Every structure is written in C-alpha cells, then in structure tokens.
Amino acid sequence: MAFNITSVKTSSNGAWQGDNPLNFAFPLLIVQTALIVAVSRSLAVLFKPLRQPKVIAEIVGGILLGPSALGRDPAYMDRIFPEWSMPILESVASIGLLFFLFLVGLELDLSSIRRSGKRAFGIAAAGITLPFLAGVGVSFVIRNTLYTAADRPGFVEFIVFMGVALSITAFPVLARILAELKLLTTQIGETAMAAAAFNDVAAWILLALAVALAGNGGESGGEKKSPLVSVWVLLSGVGFVAFMLVVIRPVMKWIAKRASPENGAVRESYVCLTLAGVMVSGLATDLIGIHSIFGAFVFGLTIPKDGEFGQRLIERIEDFVSGLLLPLYFATSGLKTDVAKIRGAVSWGMLGLVVVTACVGKIVGTFAVAVMVKIPAREALTLGFLMNTKGLVELIVLNIGKEKKVLNDETFAILVLMALFTTFITTPSAMAIYRPARGIHRKLKDLSASEHSSSKEELRILACLHGPANVSSLISLIVSIRTTKILKLKLFVMHLMELTERSSSIIMVRRAQKNGFPFVNRYRHDECHSSVIRGFQAYRQLGRVAVRPITAVSPLPTMHEDICLMAETKRVTMIILPFHRRWNVDYGHGHHQDGGDGNVPENVGHGWRLVNQRVLKNAPCSVAVLVDRGLGSIESQSSSLDGSNVVERVCVIFFFFLKKGVCVIFFGGPDDREALELGGRMAEHPAVKVTIMRFLVGEKLRSNTITLHPAPSKCKEKNYAFLTTNVDPEKEKELDEGALEDFMSKWKDMVEYKEKEPNNTIEEILSIGQSQDFDLIVVGRGRSPSVEVAALAERQAEHPELGPVGDVLASSNNHVIPSVLVVQQHNKAHVEEITVSKIVKESSLSTDGDANV
C-alpha cells in the first residue's frame, strides 16, 4: 500500500473502528522502538560472556532487523519499517543522540586533557595521523572503484570523511572495555584514556570540517556551492565555539553555583533552562551548516565539572536517553546497512582493504610512538588494539556521510562492518596480549615466621568497603591490630563502586582512573564520598598509619578480579571484606534500631554477597569477612555525633573502641590457626582484651568418624563447602597444639584462655554470641573442619560462605550481639572445595570421594 508522508496521521481510531495501528505514525513508532530494544537487549545478553560493549549488540540488532536479514522479506519491511516511517524514527533517535552528545561533552574535562602530558598527546597524535593518511590513500581506490562518474562525491569531502572514519577512537566504549579488562587503574589504562580524550577532541574538529566541506553539494541535481561557503561555515563554527566558551561558560558556572546543595535543592527552572540550551545550541550549529550534535557537544563542555549540578543533569536524562533513545540511533545505522550491497570479489576486497588499513594504521602508529616513549612492547601493542576501538563517533561520521550523499550504500555497509570488526576484536586481543605478573601468595602465619629475620617486613592489609557505613567499624578493626613491635602496618582502602550501563558510570570510570578517593570527590561532593574521604584522612593523621585510598569501578560479576589483582599487586597479607548485611545501631541507647533484637539488617544486595564468595575462592592471600553489628560504635558519650561528623567519630574511636574485648573461638584447622594468629596481633594492643575460647571434642563425638557426602549442585546455596584434601587428623592436632603453645608463649600474660567441652556445640557458640561480654568474635571459616565443626554440616546453611561457626553467629535469627570476623587462611595449593549435604557417623572410614574427619 503506497503512502504519502504528508497524509500520514499521528494516531488511529482503534482496531474496533477498522483502523490498522501500523498505518499510523505513533503506534508504528512504539512497535519499532519495542522491537529494537528487545532485540538489542537480547543480543547484549548473548555477547556479555564475550565482554563485548553494548554498542555491538545494538548495531548487530539493527543489521538483523534491516535489509541484510529480516528485511529481505518485502512484506516485513513494508509493514514494520516502511519507507515513510524512517524520517520519524530517525528524528526521535536524533533527539537521543543530541542529548547523548551533550552528556559526552559533560564528561570530557578539558583541564584533565591539558594535564595528561606529552606522552598521551604524542600517542594520540600518531594514532590519528597515520590511519588518517592511510584513509586518504584508500579513499582514492574506493572512490574510483565503487562510484560511478555520475554519483562520485567531491574529492576533498570524501577523503576527509574516510580519514576521520579510519582514525577515530570511541572514548565511552574504550572506558567500559578498560573497566572490564581491569586495566583502568594501570599505567596503560590511564594512558589510553588520556589519548582517547585527545582523540575525541580531534575527531570532533575533523568531523565539523568534513560536514562544512560536504554541505549539500554532493546531492544529485543540486546546485554547486561556492568554495567560499565552506570557509564561512568554518569561520562561523569557530565563532560559535568562542562564544560558548567565553560567554556561555561563565553563565553556566553561575547557574551551577546557584544550584549547588549549599543553596538548597536544584530548581526545576535551572534544569529546564539547561535542557533547552542543548536544543538551542543544536539549532545554532544546524543553522551554521554544521550538524546539530556539534552544538550539543560544545554546550556540554561549558558545564562545570566540579559540582553537583552536572551530576543532577545526568541523573535526570541519562536513563531515558541511553536506555531507550540511543539504541534507536544505533539500530537505524544497522537498518541502513545492507550487506547484500557488498557483492563480488572487488567489493569484498575493498572491505578487507579497509579493515586492514584501519587496524594497521591505528595499531602501528600507536605502537611506534608508545615504544619511543619507553612503554614496554607488550603494553604498547595492547595500547594499539585499545585505541583501535570504534563506536559512537564512528557511526555518527558514517551516518552524516550517508546523509550528505558522500557515502553510497555499498561504502556505508563496508565501513559499518569495519567498525564492528575492529571493536569486536579489541577485548579478546587485549586479553591475549596483556598478562599482568602474578604476585606472591601470603598469609599471616608466614609473615609471623619472618619477623625475626627481617624488621623491614610490612603487614599489608587491603580493606574493602561499600560506603560511609563501613568506615567506623573498619577503622576500629584496623586500630586493634595496628600496634606491633616489629611489623609496620600499611593499609590499602578500596572503595567498591558498581559499574552499570548508565552514562554516569562511564563518567565515574574516567574520574576513578587516578586511583583514589580525592579524584572521585572533585567530581561529586556528595555525603557518601566526602564522608569516606574525611574518615580515612583523619585516621591517617591520628593513627600515623600509611593509608592508600583506592577506587574500584567494575561490574559486580567481575569485581572480585579487581580486588584479587590489587591484593597481588600490593602484596597484601590479608583482605578484609564487608559482609553483605549490616545491622544498624542506635549509638545513644546501645541497641539496634529495629526495636532491640537486631533482626532486620541492611542488605546491600545479593550481588555483593557473590563478590565476597568469589574473593574467598580466588584470593591470593588470607581473607576476613566482617559481619558488622556496630563495631566501633560510639556510646552515649558521643551520642550527638551523626553520620556526617566522620572526623569526630574517628577521633572518639581512639578513646572508645572494643571496650568489652575480643573473643577468638578455636576448634582447630588452618582457618582457626589463622584466626588465632590475628588474635595474637590484637592482644599486643594495650587497650584490647583478648579471650581465647578453645572447644574440645565432646564425649559424644570421640568414638565416631564423621563422613561428609557431596551435595547435589542444586543445593550449593544451602550447604557448607569443605576442602577436598585428605586430612591427617594426627598431623592437624599436632599443628593445632603447636599453634596454641606458640601463642601462649608470646601472649600468656595478655590474654585469657578458656577451654570448653560442650554437649551441644551450637548452644555453646550462641551463649558466647548472645552475651554482652565481647565487642568482636573472631572465628575461622573451617574449610578443613575439626570433628566438632564437621558435625555442624548437617545444618541448613543461611550463609554457607562463612562456614558452620560463622554462619551460626551471623544468622539474623540467633540474636547475636557482637560483630563477627570470619577468617580464611590462604591455601597455596588452590585446592578445590566441595559442598556437603549430610553427614554419617560411623566407626570406619568411607571411600568414593567422601571426606572423612
């Protein structure tokens, strides 16, 4: 059915009155949007295991929906993507592109580019120049091969478009790839980000030049434009940029200051004024003859980067733009791509030529300069592949080139496939080339054995936190183990921040590349970041401890890789993790805020629990999980202090902390021996009272051998995991006795030692936990369990990653009062763990893979 675009109506009267909604603009737009989002999201899930950026899924989705695949059916195209609907779809997508480019300008800090140094500038310049020159050479071949004399575009504008298409680097896509590869805080990651920022600025200048040169002169039958027109367009563009930076930038700085938290809530009028400014700036550059997105990008540069206003703008528009409208733009690029246009050996040869030229030019140029500035060859080659990432700017260039009739359908399809290929190979190539050196695996006991031979050895601890709520408890724990006679303490504090698909997460990635809290704080002065920073700055000054703040920005499924890599790089002895649940404490009354029983903890989410589980499995050193029930809480002496007075709270911690003392529960095994070692370091602190509670084998368990049977895979979340190594009970007993004897020889006069032979182990553990005698209970995870701990394996686990004893004390239903620290000793052999579902008590040993205690 033929349609006249001028006669198309917006909405229908409904199917009941005989109207087909797909014949009307708005219902059809809804169907197109839903289909594009569904397909692109589904492909993103499929590509996620390959660590491919989301833009790959969106472009491939558009290609599948377009004439290359489903669009081969004329009935489908006429019904779902008819020709009359494309201007409407592209207009809506262009609005999303306009605001996304505003966000890109908002994230690009020109001052940080100036501070990046000559190295990044040299790498960026080489990474642009060589592929641009190679693109100029390729443009001669393509222009004479794939174009006829009638539709051949202007020579200058064509070589500029080709040069830009082959030389640019996609800054937002590169930022996410670096975060995924755990290279963000490395030297190669910082260099890549800085070079990509230079590249971004150069790309926009070149793009503005290309658009100015193209004009409408390439249209068939159009009037030939005077060369002076391009000059006037360029001069007007320069004037527009100067006006924005000289006049509009101070105005936006004034607006941002007026909208700061100190002056109350951000007024709706300021936000609306700024969003209108995006549209007006886009209109201005469109009137000049440069694409409207250039105006939105320059307007984004005028927004101050060091306040709350920019963050508020991002929060208002990013989800709608990045989640809904921007995929439409990428999909329309795919819809315009007809792979069938690439036919014959000549066309496929041109595709291979373009891909090779783009890769070789970018990689060789970057590699050569990187080696010249003394970057190791392996890292320089990795940097070359990273800088070869295409994406957003590439597609913008190609779409504008097609719109201006500079690129025909065949050339457009070739260049889109080139962008897909170069971006797709970035992650696997970088992973294959760049292999960081492995660190030394350590545990507390190893460090203790060496302290008589070397007085220069440091106790290095990596403490992780989610936010300000973890600060006081973490500082209290570190204070209790910091004073040793020989060992120095160096504390690395890692703030864990989830990387999501939001645009602000990409901005957060860039802000975090300096590897410290102050870098994040310059961008976002909210209470969360400033409280964490002030707390550890105060602790560093008062405790005279070397504190190094680190920010980890990563997706939760791979967050553990950041933590373990940092532990290896910094050669830490122990990682301290916050439990995924935390109990609120009313400091003024000394009880839980939930009414006194403490049964309703804060839960930061199951994803963070999985992070802890993966760290426990893969850590290169010992690990401790802190179940916080108000450790370091300030009593009535300081009840007036609130969460914002972190510095004052830290000062008070030095006078009021762990007043009741620490209890170390000892059953036996490697994890318990590591917990005992940690207890010894706490005993050295003059203000910490340590009690060792040793559990002996009860009469009921002495005559039985306990066999642990493997659990079915579906029960892993409800059952405990133990090591698969064969344990020699006599040897383990000898090691336990030796550890206790060594401990008592050092700390006998500083600790209280008790022994228990319980009839009911769980009741005895809970009696300790439910008493108010201790601030902190330290237990081993018990992966090589003693008989008493193995007997607890028949319980249904609530938190199996804590082990049987830790799980009992961390349960929400057991009314435990003190905080709990669950310690796991590092095992150099990396022995696998196996979950168990039941136990059998018998007098003989079992076989067939069962574990015997």
Side-chain angles (χ1 to χ4, degrees), residues 765-778:
I765 293 172
L766 289 178
S767 69
I768 298 173
Q770 292 170 358
S771 69
Q772 299 188 16
D773 297 335
F774 306 103
D775 294 297
L776 177 68
I777 299 176
V778 182

Side-chain angles (χ1 to χ4, degrees), residues 160-168 358 390 394 397-398 415 418:
V160 172
F161 267 103
M162 287 296 299
V164 173
L166 268 64
S167 62
I168 56 180
K390 308 296 182 186
E394 171 80 8
V397 171
L398 300 183
L415 294 176
M418 179 271 294

Side-chain angles (χ1 to χ4, degrees), residues 434-507:
Y434 187 75
R435 298 290 183 186
R438 307 296 293 181
I440 301 174
H441 296 178
R442 294 151 66 102
K443 56 177 180 281
L444 281 175
K445 190 63 180 175
D446 292 341
L447 196 60
S448 177
S450 67
E451 58 181 59
H452 295 295
S453 60
S454 174
S455 60
K456 297 181 179 180
E457 190 73 52
E458 285 182 322
L459 173 60
R460 293 168 166 250
I461 293 178
L462 175 63
C464 304
L465 51 82
H466 300 141
N470 306 123
V471 172
S472 60
S473 59
L474 183 56
I475 291 179
S476 293
L477 180 60
I478 298 301
V479 167
S480 68
I481 61 176
R482 75 181 179 92
T483 46
T484 57
K485 297 177 181 177
I486 297 178
L487 294 181
K488 297 179 181 179
L489 174 63
K490 190 165 187 178
L491 176 64
F492 299 92
V493 181
M494 178 175 277
H495 192 184
L496 308 179
M497 306 176 72
E498 181 182 5
L499 176 69
T500 65
E501 296 292 340
R502 298 167 67 93
S503 300
S504 59
S505 295
I506 297 298
I507 297 174

Side-chain angles (χ1 to χ4, degrees), residues 304-330:
K305 310 296 190 265
D306 56 355
E308 184 76 9
F309 185 61
Q311 179 66 23
R312 295 292 180 89
L313 289 173
I314 293 170
E315 291 174 351
R316 296 291 179 92
I317 64 177
E318 67 171 337
D319 286 331
F320 182 68
V321 170
S322 301
L324 185 65
L325 297 185
L326 197 62
L328 298 184
Y329 183 81
F330 290 125

Side-chain angles (χ1 to χ4, degrees), residues 366-377:
T366 303
F367 175 81
V369 176
V371 171
M372 290 173 60
V373 296
K374 298 182 179 180
I375 295 178

